Amino acid sequence: MALEVKICGLKTDEAVAAALSAGADLIGFVFFPKSPRNVSIDEAVRLAAPARGRAKIVALAVDPSDELVDALAAHLAPDLLQLHGHETPERVAEIAARSGLAIMKAIPVAEAADLAVVPAYVPHVARLLFDAKPPKTPEALPGGNGLPFDWRLIRDLDPGRPVMLSGGLDPSNVARAIEVTGVSAIDVSSGVESAPGVKDPERIAAFIRNARATV
């Protein structure tokens, strides 16, 4: 199978260069002020420029306003808009229609029952991303907490849309995650950082190398 790798939460030219050099298929920019990976739209436009035509551009937003959706579509024009909040299927449909962008909806998972919502989202999205449900602590983010979930929960899952795995992945466990789930797309953020929001080029390279070794 062809494996796609997404490096998310990029903030610097060096991080973008490292992801592209290592062979990332998708690069992600975070638009969520509470995140240490947050960037402005102007910053993302500049950072994304070298990646156009080399990797898909992903904009990650959390319960975005119409104004943010409009600005992202008009200025960044990402290949995918990743919705990582509490967006309902109806809101996802609205955002897809308003923006004209392909949508990837993140589904937080802690137990099998969390997958019951998947069919309601499928008609409105191009992809689904399964991430660990954030802990119930004030400082927890919607994603990028470095926590895995039980990968067996999505093994053999076929929702009718491409699936991406996220949550707690790093160079040491990515091969095992792919083996357990059988997914053909993976996403990493904190697992290739030396500090929150600070990407480590060596860890990025190791992550992609170890992932590619599985196929």
Side-chain angles (χ1 to χ4, degrees):
M1 66 176 180
L3 179 72
E4 288 187 305
V5 181
K6 172 172 169 268
I7 308 295
C8 196
L10 302 176
K11 291 182 63 176
T12 66
D13 296 309
E14 293 76 14
V16 171
L20 295 174
S21 176
D25 302 287
L26 305 95
I27 61 170
F29 301 101
V30 174
F31 302 91
F32 184 57
K34 293 181 180 180
S35 171
R37 303 164 190 96
N38 183 60
V39 293
S40 70
I41 293 177
D42 287 345
E43 288 173 322
V45 169
R46 181 183 62 77
L47 290 167
R52 300 276 180 194
R54 298 178 63 188
K56 292 179 180 177
I57 310 301
V58 182
L60 185 159
V62 178
D63 298 305
S65 64
D66 286 347
E67 291 74 18
L68 178 56
V69 170
D70 292 348
L72 288 171
H75 300 293
L76 181 60
D79 297 287
L80 283 165
L81 175 56
Q82 179 177 332
L83 298 176
H84 217 102
H86 295 93
E87 303 89 358
T88 63
E90 294 76 19
R91 178 58 177 158
V92 171
E94 289 175 2
I95 291 172
R98 183 181 187 94
S99 67
L101 297 172
I103 305 296
M104 178 162 61
K105 179 67 180 91
I107 307 294
V109 180
E111 57 187 2
D114 294 322
L115 300 175
V117 301
V118 167
Y121 285 103
V122 167
H124 313 301
V125 302
R127 298 183 180 219
L128 290 164
L129 180 145
F130 294 97
D131 195 2
K133 183 174 284 189
K136 295 179 179 180
T137 57
E139 68 276 8
L141 299 170
N145 294 296
L147 299 173
F149 63 94
D150 184 349
W151 298 322
R152 294 171 298 179
L153 292 173
I154 66 167
R155 185 177 181 89
D156 301 322
L157 181 69
D158 184 11
R161 292 290 186 273
V163 166
M164 181 171 280
L165 174 66
S166 187
L169 300 179
D170 61 37
S172 71
N173 66 12
V174 63
R176 176 62 178 160
I178 294 168
E179 177 186 345
V180 169
T181 62
V183 297
S184 59
I186 50 172
D187 173 48
V188 67
S189 186
S190 61
V192 292
E193 292 179 345
S194 58
V198 181
K199 292 293 186 283
D200 182 327
E202 292 186 2
R203 288 180 67 82
I204 290 174
F207 182 87
I208 294 179
R209 182 173 61 250
N210 293 349
R212 299 258 186 248
T214 65
V215 295

